[in-house]
Amino acid sequence: MTRTAGVATVTDADFDAEVLGAGRPVLVKFTADWCGPCRQLAPVLSAMAAEEADRLKVVQLDVDTNPEITARYAVLSTPTLMLFRGGEPVTSMVGARPKRRLVQELDDALQDRPAR
């Protein structure tokens, strides 16, 4: 899988510990090597991982080599970005997006209010 700088890779084996058990919100990028928009999103997520490190953990999961987690969250398209808070998915976004829009969408989801 293509490495995204500053973004850890998780697998079916360690997803629950790394994502659901994390002490802060986690943004998971469901990705694949053959996915062009996933590559477009890589620098955006690298920047997010660096700038938001104090309040957000950013990881990626390869859908081709991790079918269990991909199926558990019914991921049908790449890239899918899913934000987990307290072990639960609180929002899901499909497709590449500019950093400004991603930050805005995450800010809304990270506010301390019940998930929609």
Side-chain angles (χ1 to χ4, degrees), residues 4-5 11-12 27 39 41 48 51 56 65-66 74 79 82 85 89-91 98 101 103 106 110 115-116:
T4 301
T11 65
D12 280 350
L27 180 64
R39 288 191 292 276
L41 199 53
M48 291 281 304
E51 293 165 18
L56 183 68
T65 56
N66 298 283
M82 206 171 283
R85 193 169 66 200
V90 292
T91 191
R101 185 168 146 215
V103 168
L106 288 174
L110 286 169
R116 286 179 267 151

Side-chain angles (χ1 to χ4, degrees), residues 85-99:
R85 193 169 66 200
E88 296 293 324
V90 292
T91 191
S92 181
M93 302 161 267
V94 176
R97 60 223 330 107
K99 183 175 165 219

Side-chain angles (χ1 to χ4, degrees), residues 56-96:
L56 183 68
K57 178 178 178 179
V58 182
V59 300
Q60 62 184 2
L61 180 126
D62 187 310
V63 297
D64 291 329
T65 56
N66 298 283
E68 184 184 310
I69 297 299
T70 302
R72 182 194 298 175
Y73 294 103
V75 174
L76 302 175
S77 302
T78 55
T80 292
L81 297 171
M82 206 171 283
L83 181 69
F84 289 80
R85 193 169 66 200
E88 296 293 324
V90 292
T91 191
S92 181
M93 302 161 267
V94 176

